[in-house]
Amino acid sequence: MTPEQIKIKVKEAYENVESGEFLQMKVKEAVEQHRQNYRKYKAIHPDKNFDSWKEQNEDININSTNNHEIMAMGIFFLALDEFKPDD
């Protein structure tokens, strides 16, 4: 599965059980985690930019068949799309 396919699967799964609000809450939490992780990344790699950090995060292992892992990755990717760095 590609990151896009995972995001679609997660959105559909949450919509099918009418948990869209819960998904948004989880995405907001993940955005804050991305914010903290990006700050740490920039402290260690001041010469790198947001695009390189995002690309590195999108390259995580997505070869999973475990539904729990797919859901977690989907939230991770959705939050990555919403995250905008402060700097």
Side-chain angles (χ1 to χ4, degrees):
M1 290 182 119
T2 67
E4 288 303 316
Q5 291 170 322
I6 291 171
K7 289 186 282 189
I8 290 167
K9 183 173 182 167
V10 168
K11 284 181 183 177
E12 288 173 349
Y14 278 95
E15 288 170 0
N16 288 339
V17 294
E18 298 181 7
S19 295
E21 291 176 18
F22 179 74
L23 175 61
Q24 284 304 315
M25 180 186 73
K26 297 308 275 181
V27 168
K28 281 180 115 176
E29 290 172 3
V31 166
E32 287 308 310
Q33 186 64 48
H34 285 321
R35 188 174 318 286
Q36 293 172 17
N37 291 339
Y38 181 68
R39 286 183 187 137
K40 292 175 188 175
Y41 176 82
K42 284 298 287 181
I44 296 168
H45 306 284
D47 57 322
K48 301 283 184 173
N49 62 21
F50 173 70
D51 292 332
S52 66
W53 176 80
K54 185 174 180 180
E55 183 178 314
Q56 184 178 5
N57 278 285
E58 289 174 335
D59 288 339
I60 65 171
N61 182 7
I62 56 174
N63 298 318
S64 175
T65 56
N66 179 317
N67 280 337
H68 293 291
E69 291 177 3
I70 290 171
M71 295 306 251
M73 284 187 285
I75 291 169
F76 177 88
F77 288 135
L78 290 167
L80 195 58
D81 287 347
E82 288 190 21
F83 173 68
K84 305 293 181 246
D86 296 333
D87 53 26

